[in-house]
Amino acid sequence: MGGVNNSVVSEIVLVGLTNSLKMQLVLFLVFSVFYVTGILGNLLIVLTVISDSHLHSPMYFLLANLSFIDMWVSSVAAPKMISDLFKERKVISFQGCIAQMFFIHVIGGTEMVLLIAMALDRYVAICRPLHYLTIMNFRTCILLLVVAWTIGIIHSLIQLVFVVNLPLCGPNELDSFYCDLPRFIRLACTDTYRLELMVTANSGFISLGTFFILVISYIFTLVIVWQRSSGGLSKALSTLSAHITVVVLFFGPCIFVYSWPFPTVPVDKFLAIFDVIITPFLNPAIYTFRSKEVKVAMRRIFSQVSSFRKIARGNYELSLIITSVLSKTVFLYVRRFK
C-alpha cells in the first residue's frame, strides 16, 4: 500500500439525503427557510451588539462572537447540501472535501472553547459580581477569543495532517451530505484503526470531557448561589438556562457522532442536519427570548431604522417638490423669453 497514490481519487461522491423528488422539494424549502433565518438571526445579534452601547459588555461580546461563528457553522455545509438536493450526481472535489472538514473542525473547536469562556463569564458575573469588570475586562475577552480560534485551528490541523496523506485508491462514496471525517477515513485502502482512535480521542472524548466540565461548572455556580441565598437560585438558573440549552444542543450531536462506537447512518445524518441547520437557527432565538436587554436593544434599533426611513421618505418627497418647482420655473422662464 505504500506505493498507492491518493491522486487516484480526485472527487468524492456524496450520497445525500433522499432520492424522492417530493421529499427533495420539502427539504429544499425547509432547509432554505432555516438556513436564511439562522443567518439573518445571527447577523442581527452581531449588528445589535455592535451598534447598541448598552450591550458593550463581556457577556454580549462573547455572544456576538458565538453568533458570528454560528453563521459559519451553517455556511460551511448547508449551501452545498441545499444546492445538491436536486442533483442526480452529488460530488465534491478532493481538495474541497479536505477544506470542508478543516473549516468544520476549526469552527467546532473554536465554538467549544468559546462556550467555556461564556461559562467562565457567567460564573464571575454571578459568584463574584463586584470583581466582574476587573476580571472580565476587554483585554481578557480578546485573549479568550484568540485562544479559542488558536485551539480550533490546532485541533483541526492535528487531524487533517494525517488525513491528507491517506491512500484513497478505490471507493470514493460517502453516505452523507457533507465531508464527514469519520466516514472519510473509512475510504482509505489501508488499516485506519489507529487513526480512528485518534479522531475519537481528539473530537469525541474532548467533546465529552468539555461537556462534563461545563455541566459541573454550572452546577458549582448554582450551588454557590444556593448557599449564599436560596432566593437568588431562581434568578441564577434563569440566567444560565440559555447557556445550558446551547451547550446541550452543541455537544449532544458531537458526542454521539464522534464517541458512539456503533455508527448508524440515519441517526448520524439527522444529528448532522441538527448541528448544521437547526442549532444555528435556534441559538439566536434562545438568546433573544431569554435576554430582555437584547430584545430592548433590537426594538431600539428597529425604531431608529423606522425613523430613518421616515426621514428619508420625507427628504425624497421634499426633493420631488423642489424638482417640480424648479422644472416649472425653468419652463416658465424659457417660455417667457421665446
Side-chain angles (χ1 to χ4, degrees):
M1 289 296 171
V4 177
N5 194 333
N6 59 7
S7 64
V8 172
V9 174
S10 60
E11 63 181 19
I12 306 297
V13 178
L14 303 173
V15 173
L17 297 172
T18 179
N19 292 321
S20 169
L21 184 59
K22 290 183 179 179
M23 187 58 68
Q24 286 173 346
L25 181 59
V26 172
L27 292 177
F28 176 81
L29 294 174
V30 172
F31 290 162
S32 297
V33 170
F34 271 78
Y35 173 67
V36 173
T37 307
I39 291 291
L40 293 177
N42 283 298
L43 182 61
L44 179 60
I45 288 180
V46 172
L47 295 177
T48 301
V49 172
I50 291 173
S51 60
D52 197 295
S53 59
H54 297 85
L55 300 182
H56 291 175
S57 67
M59 181 178 74
Y60 293 112
F61 172 81
L62 296 174
L63 173 60
N65 279 279
L66 179 67
S67 294
F68 176 76
I69 290 173
D70 277 339
M71 286 193 288
W72 287 103
V73 169
S74 295
S75 300
V76 169
K80 178 163 180 58
M81 177 188 70
I82 294 170
S83 64
D84 279 349
L85 280 171
F86 296 109
K87 292 181 181 178
E88 186 175 347
R89 191 168 184 267
K90 307 167 181 64
V91 296
I92 184 171
S93 66
F94 178 83
Q95 292 79 7
C97 188
I98 295 294
Q100 194 175 64
M101 289 188 292
F102 172 75
F103 286 112
I104 285 173
H105 284 271
V106 167
I107 294 166
T110 303
E111 185 164 352
M112 190 183 302
V113 180
L114 190 61
L115 289 172
I116 295 175
M118 295 177 76
L120 173 65
D121 172 77
R122 289 300 83 205
Y123 166 77
V124 176
I126 294 171
C127 298
R128 303 188 65 184
L130 298 179
H131 301 89
Y132 177 62
L133 293 178
T134 305
I135 297 173
M136 296 298 297
N137 53 48
F138 181 72
R139 184 178 178 181
T140 303
C141 291
I142 294 297
L143 180 62
L144 289 171
L145 191 61
V146 171
V147 169
W149 281 102
T150 303
I151 291 176
I153 292 171
I154 293 172
H155 160 74
S156 184
L157 286 176
I158 287 173
Q159 299 180 109
L160 290 186
V161 162
F162 298 99
V163 170
V164 168
N165 294 319
L166 276 178
L168 305 180
C169 52
N172 65 333
E173 187 175 275
L174 282 181
D175 194 358
S176 182
F177 59 87
Y178 73 107
C179 281
D180 178 9
L181 189 57
R183 297 190 184 283
F184 180 85
I185 291 173
R186 297 189 191 106
L187 296 181
C189 48
T190 185
D191 183 20
T192 59
Y193 177 74
R194 291 182 180 179
L195 187 57
E196 288 180 36
L197 281 180
M198 188 273 291
V199 169
T200 301
N202 196 12
S203 294
F205 293 157
I206 289 177
S207 298
L208 190 62
T210 307
F211 174 73
F212 281 121
I213 290 172
L214 286 170
V215 170
I216 291 170
S217 71
Y218 289 134
I219 294 173
F220 182 69
T221 302
L222 292 173
V223 168
I224 291 177
V225 173
W226 177 72
Q227 288 176 344
R228 291 179 179 177
S229 170
S230 58
L233 184 62
S234 59
K235 184 178 180 181
L237 188 60
S238 175
T239 304
L240 293 176
S241 60
H243 296 276
I244 294 171
T245 304
V246 170
V247 165
V248 172
L249 290 175
F250 174 77
F251 282 99
C254 291
I255 292 170
F256 188 91
V257 170
Y258 291 102
S259 300
W260 188 249
F262 309 107
T264 52
V265 173
V267 176
D268 285 354
K269 284 186 179 181
F270 170 76
L271 291 175
I273 292 169
F274 196 88
D275 211 21
V276 170
I277 294 286
I278 300 177
T279 300
F281 166 80
L282 290 177
N283 283 354
I286 292 168
Y287 281 112
T288 303
F289 291 141
R290 298 297 301 177
S291 175
K292 292 181 181 179
E293 292 86 355
V294 174
K295 286 189 283 188
V296 170
M298 285 183 177
R299 291 195 198 102
R300 197 180 295 122
I301 289 176
F302 287 142
S303 65
Q304 290 174 355
V305 171
S306 178
S307 300
F308 177 78
R309 288 180 63 184
K310 288 180 181 178
I311 293 172
R313 189 181 302 166
N315 291 338
Y316 176 71
E317 292 175 354
L318 180 62
S319 65
L320 287 177
I321 294 171
I322 293 173
T323 304
S324 177
V325 170
L326 288 175
S327 61
K328 287 181 180 179
T329 303
V330 171
F331 175 75
L332 292 174
Y333 181 81
V334 172
R335 186 177 179 183
R336 180 179 177 183
F337 285 93
K338 272 187 176 181

